[in-house]
Amino acid sequence: MSDKNNYFASVKYTHNELHYNCEQPIAYAPIVQLSNASWVVPQHFLRYQHSLQSVNETLDNIEFSTHFRVLAAKQDEQIYLQVAILSPDNYRCTKAKKLLFGRRWFVEENLPTSELIQTAFLALKIAREHEVRELFQLKSEQGSSTPFNNHHDLPLLAQNPQLTIVVNNQPQSITKLLARCSFAQASLTLIAQQKIADEQMLYTLRLNCRDCQLSEFNLKTVAFLAVDKSENAFLHSLINALIAISNDYVSEQFKYAGYARFSKQVIAEQVGALSILLRSQQALQLCARGKQHAAQLNFEIDSHRAPQGCGQAINGFLAAHGIEKPENAHLYSDFLQAM
């Protein structure tokens, strides 16, 4: 047994202070010293048992826009996250704000705290994307619409594909198209367009909104590629570029305990080096019993991920790929049909 495991309780964890109510190291868990002299237990050697209280404590350490708040709630013993939004009506010229709620994101009891934080991160990205899609409007002879919003009747669209899928890649006047477009109830201005390769086009636009609640869009210059010169390619590429701007904003502004994990200021190579250290066999120096407990923890986590009641569907999924038994079939002995 490694000597360092004997003084586990005496180590002061200055870098990853444990949430003692929901995080506990397995027996004989390794501790690793970082280059800044902090001692840590890698998260893959922790057991998690989140409660509504521990989830709320985690959310309390998240910083983001005041117009978006990630909440935790519980229904029938199931904890979930939900984004609350204070936003003006995207379809009316009013600044009066409505209280809205996004979809529910369920939280597993044994979800690592890092993954819980990333679930909140993703929930905010999706909630803001929903707003972005509604802020883009397209005028036509029939009226004004938001063609990229999430509320269109998808089954209806699928049952009537001939109404929306028409091959028409003829070049059109982008200037005329932009005259029918608006974002956050303001116009868009074409600054430049350039053919790059084959039919690819590079467009540069300016958004003329000044008081959009999603402030990163105010007087923003946007550049994006379209696969061809058609209006449809332009519109799809534009909405993707707008969503990317929102996602970048979340990456820079979303912070946990003051740290912006997904910011471009975070040096990717250093994150990789830290990951290697925390998984290095030399640094971990796991004893035989530690390896046994770690293997048992991995088995418990992986074996409980299988969706209940889906054994037949999974077997069909495997059969479609010509696989009789996956390499890790031992994890799902109670889930898959006997093979």
Side-chain angles (χ1 to χ4, degrees):
M1 183 173 67
S2 174
D3 290 338
K4 65 182 179 182
N5 288 310
N6 291 328
Y7 63 88
F8 175 86
S10 66
V11 174
K12 182 178 181 181
Y13 297 95
T14 57
H15 198 75
N16 73 331
E17 184 176 350
L18 301 180
H19 297 259
Y20 290 103
N21 292 329
C22 66
E23 300 179 356
Q24 290 297 328
I26 62 173
Y28 306 99
I31 56 176
V32 177
Q33 188 172 32
L34 307 181
S35 59
N36 64 357
S38 296
W39 290 91
V40 301
V41 179
Q43 68 171 357
H44 40 287
F45 296 102
L46 296 177
R47 290 183 183 277
Y48 299 87
Q49 192 171 8
H50 275 292
S51 64
L52 184 58
Q53 178 182 351
S54 69
V55 171
N56 274 316
E57 289 174 354
T58 301
L59 296 181
D60 285 343
N61 281 307
I62 291 177
E63 302 170 40
F64 193 63
S65 165
T66 56
H67 299 108
F68 294 80
R69 175 71 182 273
V70 183
L71 306 171
K74 193 173 184 180
Q75 182 176 10
D76 299 329
E77 301 305 313
Q78 176 64 66
I79 301 172
Y80 61 87
L81 304 184
Q82 200 164 6
V83 178
I85 307 164
L86 275 176
S87 174
D89 192 321
N90 293 327
Y91 300 101
R92 296 180 181 177
C93 296
T94 175
K95 293 185 178 181
K97 294 182 179 180
K98 290 184 175 181
L99 175 61
L100 307 170
F101 297 97
R103 56 153 290 181
R104 295 180 178 183
W105 300 78
F106 292 103
V107 176
E108 302 169 53
E109 186 180 62
N110 63 350
L111 191 70
T113 303
S114 179
E115 294 184 27
L116 169 61
I117 297 166
Q118 292 178 75
T119 301
F121 172 79
L122 182 58
L124 286 166
K125 286 179 68 173
I126 296 301
R128 291 179 110 256
E129 176 182 333
H130 188 105
E131 296 295 293
V132 171
R133 289 179 176 277
E134 292 187 351
L135 287 171
F136 178 79
Q137 295 187 330
L138 178 63
K139 295 178 182 178
S140 67
E141 293 180 357
Q142 292 77 28
S144 181
S145 68
T146 54
F148 295 110
N149 80 53
N150 294 311
H151 300 296
H152 295 293
D153 188 335
L154 182 51
L156 183 150
L157 293 173
Q159 292 162 12
N160 301 274
Q162 71 278 6
L163 298 179
T164 57
I165 300 178
V166 179
V167 178
N168 179 15
N169 290 324
Q170 295 302 314
Q172 302 291 332
S173 169
I174 298 304
T175 302
K176 290 182 179 179
L177 174 62
L178 275 180
R180 299 192 288 117
C181 297
S182 65
F183 184 81
Q185 300 174 353
S187 64
L188 297 84
T189 302
L190 178 64
I191 297 175
Q193 57 181 321
Q194 179 183 358
K195 183 177 179 180
I196 300 299
D198 297 327
E199 292 298 312
Q200 278 194 336
M201 294 293 296
L202 173 63
Y203 295 101
T204 305
L205 312 179
R206 183 179 65 248
L207 307 180
N208 294 317
C209 50
R210 294 175 178 271
D211 59 353
C212 181
Q213 179 163 278
L214 305 183
S215 58
E216 70 272 24
F217 290 106
N218 288 327
L219 300 177
K220 176 73 174 179
T221 298
V222 186
F224 59 90
L225 282 173
V227 295
D228 57 50
K229 298 179 181 179
S230 69
E231 289 186 355
N232 197 48
F234 175 88
L235 292 174
H236 280 277
S237 298
L238 172 55
I239 193 64
N240 288 339
L242 295 174
I243 292 170
I245 291 171
S246 174
N247 288 343
D248 285 344
Y249 179 86
V250 179
S251 295
E252 295 299 326
Q253 300 300 320
F254 179 92
K255 298 178 182 179
Y256 174 77
Y259 178 70
R261 162 65 182 93
F262 299 99
S263 168
K264 291 183 176 64
Q265 299 301 313
V266 173
I267 302 174
E269 191 164 353
Q270 293 298 100
V271 174
L274 184 59
S275 176
I276 292 172
L277 172 65
L278 295 175
R279 295 180 180 275
S280 164
Q281 294 301 316
Q282 181 178 359
L284 296 176
Q285 297 182 27
L286 271 173
C287 64
R289 290 186 178 180
K291 291 179 180 178
Q292 291 176 356
H293 284 280
Q296 177 62 28
L297 176 63
N298 290 336
F299 175 83
E300 291 174 5
I301 293 173
D302 292 339
S303 62
H304 283 87
R305 288 199 181 278
Q308 298 302 308
C310 297
Q312 184 176 357
I314 292 297
N315 274 282
F317 172 66
L318 295 173
H321 289 270
I323 298 176
E324 182 178 352
K325 181 182 294 186
E327 181 185 5
N328 60 345
H330 65 284
L331 294 174
Y332 314 119
S333 58
D334 296 331
F335 174 74
L336 298 175
Q337 295 178 359
M339 296 182 180

